[in-house]
Amino acid sequence: MTTLARPFPPRSSRAARRRALAGALFVAPCVLFVAVFFLTPLVMTAWMSLNSWPLLGAHHFIGLGNYRELMADRAFWSALGFTFKYALLVTPLIFLVAFGLALIVQRPVRGVGLLRTAYFLPVVVGLGSASVLWVWMLNGQVGVFNAVAQALHLTQDPIPYLDSARNAMITALALIVWKTAGLSMLLLLIGLQAIPADYYEAATIDGASSWQRLIRITLPLMRRTFALALVLSVTGSLLAFDQFYILSHGGPQGSTVTAVYWIFNTSFGSFRLGYGAALSLVLLVILVLVSVAQLYFLRDDTEV
């Protein structure tokens, strides 16, 4: 006589409710944090953008007036254009340096831990502190860069690192690559170490060169890591402010004013908080669209 297997007993609704409650309690701190420090300020910023809101005094509702003014604000669009130019220049530099460093420190050889620490150290320095440090090193009288250049007889007179838009841009690029390449290196290193060694061994046996292993194995399998590092790098570049505010003060002649710099000047220089809020929301929308586009084009082919 054949005995039919009994079906599994249904789960207790009480146990399911307990698990659901436990899960809700675990995520509650994160939800509360996001609600207090992101959603609430976002809603307040959206409301401010619909008002003429001075730093001091009463505000009044003007609807989409700030956004209509924004469309004709040449200074903002110029600052946004400079910001995109800066992001397009600095992002490939960060990736090239970071990927090179990651390839150097991925092998478990003697002293590699010291190299990893040395490459990552600039990341722990605050961007404001790093910018002030570079201002001192770029000084024509006591700066280290000019002293070394003169000691090596590369120049007789101090080099004016910040006297033109081109020099200021190059200096800011060097600062940011030095400051942030270590973080991208760490992300890329994690991606490199996650690739199984068997793939490389099989490719070596089949006669693949180092370049072929890089193109056929390393780069395709690191697509998700590249996407994460790229989004972080581009987002940070589009929000650039500290380095240009401290290094060049937006000069010379306003040539290095970024979008965030212009929002800062509008809000706290001209005391127009409502208009500054409208600029901030437009920049937020641009950041979201750029991030979504990056994730779309760098999506893994295996993802559904």
Side-chain angles (χ1 to χ4, degrees):
M1 181 176 178
T2 304
T3 303
L4 296 177
R6 294 183 178 180
F8 289 104
R11 293 183 178 180
S12 171
S13 58
R14 182 178 299 178
R17 285 196 298 268
R18 283 200 301 266
R19 284 192 293 270
L21 179 60
L25 290 176
F26 277 116
V27 302
C30 181
V31 172
L32 181 63
F33 182 88
V34 172
V36 173
F37 295 102
F38 178 74
L39 294 180
T40 301
L42 181 61
V43 172
M44 293 179 62
T45 301
W47 170 246
M48 289 178 64
S49 70
L50 301 176
N51 289 264
S52 176
W53 200 304
L55 184 63
L56 300 174
H59 60 85
H60 60 276
F61 183 79
I62 59 172
L64 299 178
N66 286 323
Y67 294 96
R68 286 193 292 268
E69 180 180 352
L70 182 153
M71 298 304 297
D73 189 348
R74 294 184 179 180
F76 172 71
W77 295 112
S78 175
L80 187 62
F82 171 78
T83 305
F84 272 100
K85 176 183 176 182
Y86 165 75
L88 290 174
L89 289 174
V90 76
T91 301
L93 291 176
I94 292 175
F95 261 73
L96 288 174
V97 173
F99 192 60
L101 295 178
L103 292 175
I104 291 174
V105 301
Q106 70 166 327
R107 298 184 180 276
V109 297
R110 180 175 297 181
V112 70
L114 181 61
L115 286 178
R116 291 174 181 174
T117 303
Y119 295 152
F120 187 76
L121 271 179
V123 177
V124 304
V125 181
L127 183 54
S129 301
S131 300
V132 172
L133 175 64
W134 274 59
V135 168
W136 172 77
M137 292 193 299
L138 294 169
N139 186 273
Q141 303 299 322
V142 297
V144 174
F145 291 155
N146 275 306
V148 172
Q150 291 174 341
L152 296 176
H153 302 289
L154 299 177
T155 181
Q156 295 182 348
D157 300 321
I159 301 174
Y161 290 99
L162 302 172
D163 68 333
S164 66
R166 177 176 176 273
N167 289 348
M169 173 69 88
I170 293 174
T171 302
L173 293 175
L175 165 61
I176 294 302
V177 171
W178 170 81
K179 172 71 177 64
T180 62
L183 178 59
S184 296
M185 176 207 72
L186 183 61
L187 295 174
L188 297 178
L189 178 61
I190 294 172
L192 286 172
Q193 294 181 338
I195 300 176
D198 297 344
Y199 293 176
Y200 294 107
E201 294 174 0
T204 303
I205 293 174
D206 291 339
S209 64
S210 299
W211 177 255
Q212 289 174 326
R213 293 196 297 270
L214 176 65
I215 297 298
R216 300 294 184 179
I217 299 176
T218 304
L219 296 183
L221 293 179
M222 289 187 63
R223 182 171 296 182
R224 293 184 180 180
T225 306
F226 285 141
L228 173 61
L230 184 63
V231 169
L232 293 177
S233 178
V234 172
T235 301
S237 300
L238 294 179
L239 295 176
F241 170 69
D242 303 60
Q243 59 269 40
F244 293 105
Y245 180 77
I246 296 174
L247 284 177
S248 61
H249 303 289
Q253 299 179 351
S255 58
T256 57
V257 173
T258 62
V260 175
Y261 199 146
W262 183 248
I263 294 172
F264 171 81
N265 281 340
T266 301
S267 301
F268 304 105
S270 302
F271 304 135
R272 301 183 62 194
L273 299 184
Y275 187 55
L279 296 175
S280 300
L281 286 178
V282 170
L283 182 59
L284 174 63
V285 172
I286 292 173
L287 284 173
V288 171
L289 294 177
V290 170
S291 298
V292 169
Q294 293 175 88
L295 293 175
Y296 175 79
F297 288 112
L298 291 174
R299 70 189 186 280
D300 197 325
D301 293 335
T302 60
E303 295 177 352
V304 180

